[in-house]
Amino acid sequence: DAKTTQPPSMDCAEGRAANLPCNHSTISGNEYVYWYRQIHSQGPQYIIHGLKNNETNEMASLIITEDRKSSTLILPHATLRDTAVYYCIVRGSGGSNYKLTFGKGTLLTVNP
Amino acid sequence: GAGVSQSPSNKVTEKGKDVELRCDPISGHTALYWYRQSLGQGLEFLIYFQGNSAPDKSGLPSDRFSAERTGGSVSTLTIQRTQQEDSAVYLCASSGRTATQETQYFGPGTRLLVL
């Protein structure tokens, strides 16, 4: 799977949009971009994933650049409960790509 | 609907004892995974079950670790003769029919502390 690079930490004011970047410059054509988050002392929570088109669900939006080398997770109106470590991962298909690995992620702190 | 559930949520045991950790996957999910997350560390894959296929046990760290999945649903991870280095959060996840591109949904984890 392609490696991802994320900033170690970010701050966001409550009610504002949180934009979390992820670089995955070595992504290949059949690899998806997934985002998970982990709130302190809880299990990882799936947020969203995409291949090349932008995606939106009830939690967030995922913007993938045209060359697919980077993406941005957008939490449109961050709340204090969104404080968590956010993980961007890239997963291919086939083989043993079901083995998820998380990097260091981005610690997002939402401030009142 | 109900998510992945795990029990117990916390387990404290003495070195040398055996422990059993349980995972109830999302109903209808055929794939089930166990991971381990040590303090400050990333996710470590342990084992994967998919339907009636032979499980992928390649991530189990030693022969003290074993897991089974009965009836294609509930899974139990057993650690025999626990050691202090086994202390970690044990996470279970499940996903739909095919594992390769189906999203994995995680349970809350079991926090194991071996004294």
Side-chain angles (χ1 to χ4, degrees):
Chain A
D1 290 338
K3 178 182 165 62
T4 63
T5 305
Q6 299 177 253
S9 64
M10 293 183 66
D11 284 281
C12 178
E14 188 178 19
R16 304 299 291 267
N19 298 287
L20 292 94
C22 180
N23 285 320
H24 31 79
S25 58
T26 59
I27 193 170
S28 60
N30 65 347
E31 289 182 317
Y32 286 73
V33 180
Y34 276 77
W35 283 83
Y36 282 82
R37 72 180 181 184
Q38 194 164 20
I39 296 169
H40 183 60
S41 297
Q42 296 185 23
Q45 180 186 22
Y46 165 76
I47 302 173
I48 199 167
H49 75 283
L51 184 62
K52 51 178 113 174
N53 296 324
N54 298 337
E55 302 287 344
T56 296
N57 63 20
E58 65 279 4
M59 287 184 68
S61 294
L62 174 61
I63 308 298
I64 303 175
T65 57
E66 193 168 339
D67 63 7
R68 301 186 70 237
K69 293 185 177 182
S70 65
S71 59
T72 301
L73 178 75
I74 301 172
L75 307 178
H77 306 287
T79 71
L80 299 180
R81 289 180 297 177
D82 292 322
T83 292
V85 179
Y86 287 76
Y87 298 101
C88 167
I89 61 175
V90 174
R91 285 183 62 197
S93 58
S96 59
N97 287 291
Y98 48 78
K99 299 180 185 178
L100 291 186
T101 55
F102 290 169
K104 300 285 188 187
T106 296
L107 172 60
L108 174 68
T109 303
V110 181
N111 301 304
Chain B
V4 177
S5 61
Q6 294 185 244
S7 61
S9 54
N10 292 281
K11 177 72 177 178
V12 181
T13 190
E14 293 179 348
K15 178 181 171 181
K17 301 280 190 184
D18 297 353
V19 296
E20 281 191 355
L21 312 179
R22 177 188 167 106
C23 172
D24 281 87
I26 293 172
S27 178
H29 278 186
T30 58
L32 186 147
Y33 318 75
W34 283 98
Y35 293 89
R36 178 168 73 172
Q37 193 172 35
S38 302
L39 188 63
Q41 301 298 310
L43 216 54
E44 177 186 5
F45 167 81
L46 297 177
I47 189 168
Y48 155 63
F49 296 92
Q50 172 61 278
N52 295 320
S53 303
D56 176 356
K57 304 180 183 180
S58 61
L60 295 179
S62 77
D63 58 9
R64 295 187 295 105
F65 288 72
S66 63
E68 61 178 26
R69 189 178 184 195
T70 53
S73 180
V74 171
S75 176
T76 302
L77 177 69
T78 301
I79 309 173
Q80 296 179 308
R81 305 181 302 282
T82 53
Q83 303 294 311
Q84 289 181 329
E85 61 263 28
D86 299 335
S87 297
V89 177
Y90 288 82
L91 293 161
C92 175
S94 70
S95 69
R97 276 197 303 267
T98 63
T100 53
Q101 284 304 339
E102 287 289 342
T103 300
Q104 294 181 31
Y105 295 90
F106 285 83
T110 293
R111 281 151 193 78
L112 175 66
L113 178 61
V114 182
L115 300 176

